[in-house]
Amino acid sequence: GKETEWLKSVLDLDHFGDAAIAFLISCLTVLGTLAWVFYTAHGLATLPVFLIKGTRSLESTKSEVDFDIAKIREKYRSIQEKASKKKELSRRDQRELNHLKRQERLLAARSDRIQDLKNEEGILSKLLSILTPFRVIIGVATLVLSGLVFVSLLISVTNKFMHSTCGWKCGYASTKNSEWNPLDTTLVFSSKFFPLDYIAFGILVCYIFLA
């Protein structure tokens, strides 16, 4: 019937489903591209901040956790001493003791996990610790690179919207490039000093991939 004919036309059974397969691949490509764009955009924005700000070492984190455990145990002992003097433990003190016990168990588990992470530190962790003095410099460099990528993409997209003669029908293709693009200019300038252009392009690709 008509329903069957419509289904055949959608699935393109006369051509072994080429159109349906192409449509499915296009949908998956769009979804993958969107996920990659949002994930990479987040990485380009947060990686420089992460490098400049830095993170706390496992040693300092463990020291803080151990200090919190010591404070909880001291408070636990004080409540017990107060109860022993009164020879009676109030409900409020009992609830407080139970709460302190739970906190101590959680902090002890966290301390053990931090110790395990310290024991598992490998070559990468040692390399990062060696590069710690240069972390801020690398962070500033990645911040400049992220800004360069953002400004260049913004200029390129704006140029396509403003100067495309066929609009969305041709994907905003434009043969006119009247706007100055810093990334294009950098790559063109570096091409004068072989193999600086390959190195610059390789760094850019690796940074976008790692971000």
Side-chain angles (χ1 to χ4, degrees):
K2 294 182 178 180
E3 294 80 4
T4 306
E5 293 297 328
W6 176 82
L7 184 61
K8 287 182 179 181
S9 63
V10 171
L11 297 178
D12 192 22
L13 296 179
D14 294 335
H15 300 88
F16 302 101
D18 291 346
I21 295 174
F23 177 75
L24 180 61
I25 293 174
S26 300
C27 291
L28 294 176
T29 302
V30 170
L31 292 176
T33 302
L34 288 175
W36 181 80
V37 165
F38 284 107
Y39 181 80
T40 305
H42 178 268
L44 290 175
T46 57
L47 181 59
V49 177
F50 170 78
L51 291 173
I52 294 174
K53 185 178 179 181
T55 56
R56 300 171 62 186
S57 65
L58 292 176
E59 188 66 36
S60 61
T61 304
K62 190 175 187 306
S63 299
E64 183 177 337
V65 172
D66 292 340
F67 179 73
D68 292 338
I69 292 175
K71 286 199 303 182
I72 289 175
R73 289 174 177 171
E74 181 63 30
K75 191 173 182 180
Y76 189 88
R77 281 194 297 268
S78 66
I79 294 175
Q80 284 184 325
E81 290 175 1
K82 185 177 69 172
S84 64
K85 291 179 181 179
K86 293 182 179 180
K87 297 182 180 180
E88 183 182 0
L89 188 63
S90 64
R91 292 183 177 179
R92 180 180 178 183
D93 289 339
Q94 185 62 52
R95 287 196 299 269
E96 183 67 18
L97 287 176
N98 293 334
H99 177 67
L100 291 174
K101 285 181 181 178
R102 288 194 297 268
Q103 281 189 319
E104 184 181 1
R105 284 196 298 268
L106 292 174
L107 290 173
R110 185 181 178 189
S111 179
D112 293 340
R113 177 57 181 161
I114 294 173
Q115 185 62 44
D116 292 340
L117 290 176
K118 288 177 62 179
N119 296 334
E120 294 173 359
E121 284 186 343
I123 299 177
L124 181 60
S125 300
K126 294 179 181 179
L127 180 62
L128 291 176
S129 63
I130 295 174
L131 294 177
T132 298
F134 309 100
R135 190 189 65 242
V136 176
I137 299 175
I138 298 173
V140 172
T142 55
L143 181 63
V144 173
L145 190 56
S146 293
L148 185 67
V149 172
F150 172 75
V151 172
S152 299
L153 288 175
L154 181 63
I155 292 174
S156 178
V157 171
T158 303
N159 178 71
K160 289 180 180 296
F161 272 104
M162 292 179 61
H163 301 104
S164 178
T165 56
C166 52
W168 62 270
K169 296 180 180 179
C170 63
Y172 291 95
S174 175
T175 56
K176 183 180 179 181
N177 189 13
S178 58
E179 304 294 339
W180 175 75
N181 193 303
L183 188 57
D184 289 346
T185 304
T186 302
L187 292 175
V188 171
F189 177 78
S190 62
S191 64
K192 299 178 181 179
F193 307 95
F194 180 83
L196 185 60
D197 52 342
Y198 287 94
I199 296 174
F201 186 75
I203 292 174
L204 178 63
V205 172
C206 291
Y207 176 63
I208 293 176
F209 179 76
L210 292 174

